[in-house]
Amino acid sequence: MEQEKRNYIFNQPFFSLNTKKYREIIISEPFSAVFYEFETEKHINRDKYDNMFMVCIPDGCIDAVFVKMEDKIRLEIIGTPLSAKPLIVFPDAEYFGVRFQPGIFLPLKEKFNSINSFTDTETFISDISDEYKMLGENIFKSESLEKRIEFILDFFEKLNKTDYTVNKTVYEMLNLINISNGNIDMKEISEILCYSERHLTRLFNSSLGYSPKTFVRIVRFQYALNKLTEKAD
């Protein structure tokens, strides 16, 4: 059964604080994502910013971040935190990242080719493949965020969807929780997808590294935060 689709909400209000030249663009096709770029100061003093510099809050997403520092390009994968946490940030560096909707990830080799290994972690891939080295080089050669986005989307266009998405059933669970704003329980999900609650919970946990109930709380939190932001505007 084809489920209703709706774009995901991405709220990271502290992510861009005190960075230089921060810019972002949100897309909805072929998947929901936030593309962003920024630079950092030559010297970073977290005390100066009351420890709120580059703090990440739960969003259910995977971020793939290319970092250029001293002419060397690094690849960083940020899994969704399960509580607010500060990120490792390099000084005097240039950043380009993409925050994928829940269930989408940057396909990497071997043990890194799953989302559950990244949950609540910040991982630097020390030995990136030639294709990612070339992708990073092309990204930083361009001074246009729009062009950088094109490089990423062209890269994904050459892949099969199964290369960068979780199991179809888990993907449908994520969508059901999202379109309900987190106001759905496992019994309802089980009835819609025609699988037992136990099977769905086990499948979700093994794919994402956290439970469906945790994602329900994340979606409720993100939805409430979005409403507060709308009122403030």
Side-chain angles (χ1 to χ4, degrees):
M1 177 181 177
E2 185 67 23
Q3 304 297 335
E4 174 190 353
K5 297 290 190 297
R6 190 191 68 184
N7 293 338
Y8 283 82
I9 295 171
F10 303 97
N11 280 304
Q12 287 295 344
F14 312 113
F15 194 84
S16 60
L17 285 180
N18 304 306
T19 59
K20 295 166 54 182
K21 301 179 182 179
Y22 184 88
R23 188 183 176 207
E24 69 176 37
I25 292 177
I26 301 174
I27 67 166
S28 58
E29 294 293 339
F31 42 72
S32 296
V34 178
F35 292 87
Y36 52 87
E37 62 184 12
F38 61 89
E39 296 176 9
T40 54
E41 300 284 355
K42 288 187 176 181
H43 303 284
I44 294 174
N45 181 354
R46 286 188 180 276
D47 292 336
K48 177 181 177 182
Y49 306 114
D50 296 323
N51 290 316
M52 291 308 295
F53 179 64
M54 292 299 289
V55 170
C56 192
I57 61 175
D59 58 9
C61 303
I62 291 279
D63 283 38
V65 186
F66 290 88
V67 186
K68 184 180 180 183
M69 186 178 65
E70 297 177 346
D71 294 324
K72 183 176 181 180
I73 296 174
R74 294 174 169 86
L75 176 59
E76 175 186 4
I77 305 296
I78 304 171
T80 182
L82 300 181
S83 60
K85 64 190 295 184
L87 299 174
I88 297 169
V89 188
F90 294 106
D92 199 19
E94 187 176 357
Y95 280 75
F96 169 81
V98 52
R99 181 171 304 124
F100 299 104
Q101 70 173 67
I104 302 289
F105 56 94
L106 185 70
L108 298 166
K109 304 299 181 184
E110 300 170 358
K111 65 178 180 178
F112 294 118
N113 201 27
S114 64
I115 289 182
N116 61 14
S117 61
F118 294 112
T119 298
D120 207 26
T121 67
E122 187 177 1
T123 305
F124 292 88
I125 310 300
S126 57
D127 186 22
I128 62 175
S129 65
D130 290 341
E131 62 181 344
Y132 286 119
K133 287 179 183 176
M134 184 176 296
L135 181 58
E137 289 171 359
N138 286 334
I139 285 169
F140 289 115
K141 282 178 183 176
S142 174
E143 296 182 356
S144 162
L145 178 56
E146 288 81 1
K147 185 62 179 179
R148 292 175 173 184
I149 292 172
E150 285 182 26
F151 283 128
I152 296 292
L153 295 182
D154 287 346
F155 177 83
F156 274 86
E157 190 175 346
K158 297 171 185 175
L159 302 174
N160 294 319
K161 190 174 180 179
T162 53
D163 292 333
Y164 59 86
T165 59
V166 294
N167 172 280
K168 183 179 179 182
T169 302
V170 175
Y171 195 80
E172 291 178 343
M173 292 176 70
L174 289 166
N175 182 62
L176 286 169
I177 294 169
N178 179 54
I179 62 175
S180 72
N181 299 320
N183 294 309
I184 191 170
D185 58 29
M186 284 304 299
K187 182 179 179 182
E188 294 174 87
I189 294 173
S190 174
E191 290 173 351
I192 293 170
L193 299 181
C194 300
Y195 288 106
S196 71
E197 293 180 42
R198 183 178 179 183
H199 171 73
L200 290 174
T201 299
R202 185 171 60 248
L203 187 61
F204 195 100
N205 266 307
S206 64
S207 295
L208 298 175
Y210 54 90
S211 69
K213 289 183 179 180
T214 296
F215 186 64
V216 163
R217 290 195 293 269
I218 289 173
V219 170
R220 287 177 180 173
F221 168 68
Q222 285 281 331
Y223 180 74
L225 185 58
N226 192 60
K227 287 298 180 184
L228 287 173
T229 302
E230 288 178 348
K231 288 180 180 179
D233 292 341

